[in-house]
Amino acid sequence: AYYPLNGNSNDFSGNDNHLTINIATATTDRNGYGNSAYAFDGNTFLSRTSTVALPSGNARRTQCAWILTTSSISQHILGYGSNVASNGS
């Protein structure tokens, strides 16, 4: 999947792994470009809604994210699978 964060959460790789924005708001990215990042408040998130298969089990995968936080609370940055806790544990 490739998400250029250009005001929507569509997968531009052509694999249809689009995301749903759950109350997160578009904001300015680290380079000053508007609508090129998302702001989260601890209750907001992006979720994948596609039925296209992703790697499973021990299959290799890569996840990458640029993160700026003002919180000292331990929280998940990226989650994978159905047993991911939302409270950072």
Side-chain angles (χ1 to χ4, degrees):
Y2 168 60
Y3 307 103
L5 300 178
N6 58 357
N8 65 53
S9 58
N10 292 339
D11 173 13
F12 280 72
S13 72
N15 294 317
D16 294 326
N17 287 305
H18 305 305
L19 301 175
T20 297
I21 302 169
N22 296 286
I23 312 172
T25 55
T27 189
T28 303
D29 72 6
R30 69 188 189 286
N31 296 314
Y33 297 107
N35 294 325
S36 297
Y38 284 100
F40 301 93
D41 67 4
N43 296 308
T44 57
F45 58 95
L46 300 175
S47 61
R48 182 179 165 274
T49 57
S50 174
T51 58
V52 176
L54 289 177
S56 62
N58 292 330
R60 291 181 177 199
R61 62 188 65 90
T62 300
Q63 297 177 331
C64 178
W66 285 89
I67 306 297
L68 170 65
T69 183
T70 57
S71 174
S72 61
I73 298 171
S74 175
Q75 296 183 9
H76 287 285
I77 301 300
L78 299 169
Y80 192 88
S82 60
N83 295 321
V84 176
S86 61
N87 64 0
S89 57

